[in-house]
Amino acid sequence: MELHHEFTVPVPVDDAWRALLDVERIAPCMPGATVDDYDGKTVTGSVKVKVGPITVTYRGTAVFEEQDESAHRMVLIANGKETRGQGTARATVTGTLAERDGGTAVSVRTDLTVTGRPAQFGRGVMAEVGDKLVGQFAECLARRLEEPTERTEPPEAVEPLQPAQPGQAVQPAQPVEPIDLLRTAGPPVAKRVAVAVATAVLVLVFVRIRRHRHA
């Protein structure tokens, strides 16, 4: 499925470009994600997704296939697999940045393929979830980009946040909460899950009745 999202951040395009390539700095803004390592091109980590009472963890890599600074365009290819299951996720993410009213408009196009439990919700729900997650990411990123002007400590007392060095592990400041599909997408997903559960229960009851009659 193809998804398209846009958001803006209140900094010039060159600053936004550098920030989006600073994996250590933006890692806490990625919902459900944990970054374990970054070597300057490949990010290794995991993403947790909660579907009702079930939490699915995907582990994998994301590789920057293209970083065109002059055009402010990047292409990221991500692959992941469930740690306990056969589900997979693959995404080709193309991001472009453009100056807009003193800030930066970010356009993200994602070609996403998902198998396993989260795939049952289809494009409509996944797009809605994507919209909300991108919104959360944009708000968090904007806050982080504004931090230097909001600090009250003298400059020499502030330890600058440096990008991760090649081969350096990136540790989250606190345990990462999984992406809760039911809470994020709201009623549409909840209804689908309810229908799926009810159907599964009816099938199970029907099978048991048949087995009992044939016994």
Side-chain angles (χ1 to χ4, degrees):
M1 67 184 77
E2 293 187 1
L3 306 173
H4 181 214
H5 301 96
E6 292 186 349
F7 62 91
T8 59
V9 287
V11 295
V13 66
D14 288 335
D15 292 344
W17 173 261
R18 287 191 293 269
L20 288 173
L21 292 178
D22 186 346
V23 174
E24 183 181 40
R25 187 177 190 182
I26 68 172
C29 292
M30 302 175 186
T34 299
V35 176
D36 298 324
D37 186 73
Y38 176 52
D39 65 6
K41 180 178 180 180
T42 301
V43 183
T44 302
S46 61
V47 176
K48 292 183 178 180
V49 180
K50 185 177 180 182
V51 185
I54 301 171
T55 298
V56 180
T57 300
Y58 293 92
R59 288 198 59 81
T61 60
V63 180
F64 284 98
E65 290 292 320
E66 180 182 332
Q67 295 181 21
D68 187 338
E69 185 173 2
S70 61
H72 296 116
R73 182 179 185 272
M74 64 181 73
V75 178
L76 185 71
I77 297 180
N79 289 278
K81 186 180 185 301
E82 287 184 34
T83 56
R84 297 182 179 179
Q86 300 301 313
T88 61
R90 175 181 172 82
T92 299
V93 182
T94 302
T96 55
L97 286 64
E99 196 85 31
R100 179 181 295 174
D101 299 328
T104 300
V106 183
S107 174
V108 181
R109 292 190 178 276
T110 306
D111 185 357
L112 176 66
T113 302
V114 180
T115 66
R117 283 161 287 194
Q120 65 183 297
F121 301 123
R123 185 188 184 285
V125 172
M126 295 300 287
E128 182 178 353
V129 171
D131 286 342
K132 294 186 178 181
L133 294 179
V134 169
Q136 294 174 19
F137 173 80
E139 291 176 4
C140 176
L141 179 61
R143 289 196 301 270
R144 284 185 169 267
L145 291 175
E146 292 174 341
E147 281 178 358
T149 61
E150 295 176 351
R151 293 187 184 275
T152 57
E153 298 92 345
E156 61 273 12
V158 179
E159 182 179 352
L161 186 58
Q162 299 295 331
Q165 298 301 314
Q168 174 182 338
V170 181
Q171 299 296 332
Q174 57 187 2
V176 174
E177 290 294 324
I179 301 170
D180 191 329
L181 289 185
L182 295 185
R183 185 174 61 187
T184 302
V189 177
K191 289 179 181 179
R192 292 192 184 193
V193 172
V195 170
V197 171
T199 301
V201 170
L202 287 174
V203 170
L204 181 60
V205 170
F206 178 72
V207 170
R208 288 186 174 180
I209 289 175
R210 291 197 61 185
R211 288 179 177 174
H212 178 72
R213 287 179 177 178
H214 287 288

